[in-house]
Amino acid sequence: MKTVVVGLSGGVDSSVAAYLLKKQGYNVIGLFMKNWHDDSVTISDECPWLDDSNDAMLVAEKLEIPFQTVDLSNEYKERIVDYMFREYEQGRTPNPDVLCNREIKFDVFLKIALSLGADFVATGHYCRKAEVVSNHETPIYRLLSGIDNAKDQSYFLCQLSQEQLAKTLFPIGELTKPQVREIAQELDLVTANKKDSQGLCFIGKVRLPDFLQQQLKPKTGAIVAISDTFTAYTETPPIFGTKEQALKFESKKTIYKKEDGVVLGTHQGAHFFTKGQRKGLAVGGTKEPLFVIDTDVEENIIYVGEGKYHPGLLRKTLFVPNEDLHWVRPDLSLPTEHELNVRARIRYRQPLEDATLFKSSNGLYVSFLNPQTAITEGQFVAWYLDDELVGSGVIS
């Protein structure tokens, strides 16, 4: 009998995942991960780790499976929290949930599970895994979107490797969220009607400015409005000889200066804001809502534009340097100067968009058919062939 360690989070998805695996004949062990937690920046009545741990234990008792808690606080702080602070300090916008999966759930947690004699780990992610055999008779694992389009979480797993996928199961990937809740209700699980967590991975619902102010101190700066008719180029863009030259030009973001716009107000730190952000500006009197179109952490300036279709928010092409490029399917990686038509997204729950990949010697260009809103440095772009996520990278 194969042994599976399930990451019981105290939510309904992992609860049903554990039940399904036991029903399929696996020897199931429930393991709750206690990670970095700070009550001073967490809304205590929403998703506190202690309540989640108790719910996970009650589910394990109901399913009659062994249960224990592991403390991964140190690893989480070093690999996720410190990373977040560094990224925001540099004016980038990290995605801790993607890193949490790569570094904690499917690395530290996976190693603990294997040390307990497990054959696999399992989570409550809405995605699927399939297997094909290569010409060398080596298994190749495919990461597929979940059946429930509204809950598909494959994007959050975009940094997983073949080695990690080989040891992972996703039991609820073939189900919809209503079906998962229905199973939990039939089993009378304590998590059946529990709300989904909305905060950072394993932390809970965090007031992000309060969280960041633990290390990034407030600093007054200017909010500068840029007109929607502003252009950074006074001359016609040059004619390019190669595709790479054209894509490099298209992927460049506009660099604003304070004198390019009008000062509308002040803020308490450019590193607390990100592209596309609307809330928290505390500036009124404009015809349309203001959106952050860029931040300059060195000069401590936030640049804003009116309306969600402001040209400063839109761009078609982005770049991923080689060191931040990851192929879930290494066998499909592009040789230099080759291209591939894919569908891609730059954030969770964004509909997949038609795009073309072009591999240069220095990295990968992702050129979308339609302009994308708020392409943000530090975030992850993930690309798909049909419903299979084949690669990803950190936007430069």
Side-chain angles (χ1 to χ4, degrees):
M1 181 185 296
K2 298 284 188 180
T3 297
V4 183
V5 170
V6 179
L8 282 180
S9 66
V12 65
D13 300 326
S14 61
S15 302
V16 172
Y19 163 73
L20 292 174
L21 288 168
K22 184 177 180 181
K23 186 179 178 182
Q24 292 167 19
Y26 288 100
N27 176 37
V28 179
I29 299 172
L31 205 60
F32 178 85
M33 290 169 271
K34 178 190 173 184
N35 290 287
W36 182 87
H37 183 81
D38 185 342
D39 288 326
S40 67
V41 294
T42 303
I43 301 172
S44 59
D45 62 351
E46 291 196 37
C47 196
W49 77 267
L50 191 56
D51 286 351
D52 287 340
S53 175
N54 288 336
D55 288 344
M57 181 177 64
L58 291 172
V59 167
E61 289 178 355
K62 185 80 171 181
L63 298 179
E64 299 181 335
I65 61 174
F67 174 80
Q68 60 179 290
T69 297
V70 290
D71 189 344
L72 304 181
S73 302
N74 290 335
E75 292 89 344
Y76 189 87
K77 183 182 182 303
E78 291 174 3
R79 299 196 190 191
I80 310 301
V81 177
D82 291 346
Y83 153 82
M84 286 184 65
F85 284 129
R86 288 194 303 270
E87 288 286 278
Y88 274 105
E89 191 172 27
Q90 296 171 32
R92 292 160 61 87
T93 303
N95 190 312
D97 291 304
V98 173
L99 265 294
C100 185
N101 282 316
R102 187 183 78 185
E103 300 290 332
I104 303 297
K105 277 188 179 179
F106 298 95
D107 185 56
V108 179
F109 176 74
L110 174 60
K111 289 173 181 174
I112 291 173
L114 295 178
S115 73
L116 295 174
D119 298 285
F120 300 100
V121 296
T123 64
H125 283 101
Y126 286 86
C127 61
R128 297 168 294 149
K129 185 180 88 169
E131 183 179 333
V132 294
V133 178
S134 70
N135 293 334
H136 303 288
E137 297 187 355
T138 302
I140 295 174
Y141 300 98
R142 305 173 68 215
L143 177 60
L144 306 176
S145 302
I147 292 295
D148 189 338
N149 289 329
K151 292 295 296 181
D152 170 42
Q153 293 174 311
S154 57
Y155 174 82
F156 287 139
L157 304 177
C158 67
Q159 288 278 291
L160 295 194
S161 67
Q162 286 289 301
E163 291 73 23
Q164 290 167 323
L165 282 172
K167 295 293 184 179
T168 302
L169 300 175
F170 303 113
I172 65 170
E174 300 283 349
L175 302 176
T176 65
K177 185 75 177 194
Q179 289 173 322
V180 167
R181 288 209 182 275
E182 184 179 351
I183 292 171
Q185 288 163 357
E186 290 174 353
L187 296 171
D188 195 27
L189 297 180
V190 67
T191 55
N193 297 307
K194 189 173 181 179
K195 291 195 301 184
D196 292 342
S197 62
Q198 299 295 321
L200 301 177
C201 181
F202 299 129
I203 293 180
K205 192 169 184 179
V206 171
R207 297 182 182 94
L208 189 58
D210 293 344
F211 173 77
L212 294 175
Q213 284 177 23
Q214 292 177 100
Q215 290 191 21
L216 308 179
K217 301 305 179 185
K219 181 182 178 183
T220 302
I223 298 175
V224 177
I226 301 295
S227 166
D228 59 5
T229 60
F230 173 81
T231 176
Y233 306 102
T234 56
E235 300 177 1
T236 303
I239 297 174
F240 301 104
T242 68
K243 186 177 184 70
E244 181 178 349
Q245 288 174 329
L247 291 172
K248 186 175 182 179
F249 180 80
E250 289 178 10
S251 66
K252 283 186 176 180
K253 70 172 189 175
T254 301
I255 304 298
Y256 301 104
K257 301 183 293 295
K258 190 174 182 179
E259 54 267 30
D260 293 332
V262 178
V263 177
L264 294 185
T266 60
H267 58 83
Q268 292 303 305
H271 41 252
F272 299 142
F273 292 82
T274 184
K275 287 181 184 178
Q277 183 172 334
R278 176 180 171 183
K279 296 181 180 179
L281 292 170
V283 175
T286 56
K287 184 178 179 181
E288 294 188 68
L290 291 173
F291 291 83
V292 176
I293 62 174
D294 200 12
T295 61
D296 184 339
V297 293
E298 291 187 6
E299 297 296 328
N300 197 31
I301 297 173
I302 294 173
Y303 294 98
V304 298
E306 283 193 48
K308 61 182 179 180
Y309 299 112
H310 188 284
L313 283 173
L314 304 175
R315 189 151 48 110
K316 290 181 64 173
T317 303
L318 60 84
F319 181 70
V320 176
N322 281 332
E323 59 268 24
D324 293 323
L325 181 58
H326 173 75
W327 289 90
V328 178
R329 288 282 303 272
D331 56 306
L332 298 179
S333 61
L334 280 181
T336 301
E337 295 191 4
H338 283 64
E339 58 184 60
L340 178 68
N341 292 327
V342 297
R343 302 180 76 204
R345 56 168 55 109
I346 57 174
R347 58 181 62 89
Y348 174 54
R349 286 191 176 173
Q350 177 197 20
L352 288 171
E353 301 272 352
D354 290 335
T356 300
L357 308 180
F358 179 83
K359 182 67 176 68
S360 73
S361 58
N362 298 319
L364 186 80
Y365 290 95
V366 182
S367 184
F368 288 90
L369 178 64
N370 299 309
Q372 301 298 297
T373 300
I375 292 177
T376 306
E377 294 78 13
Q379 289 279 34
F380 288 87
V381 56
W383 49 90
Y384 296 68
L385 293 175
D386 296 324
D387 61 348
E388 179 182 4
L389 196 161
V390 297
S392 67
V394 183
I395 300 171
S396 176

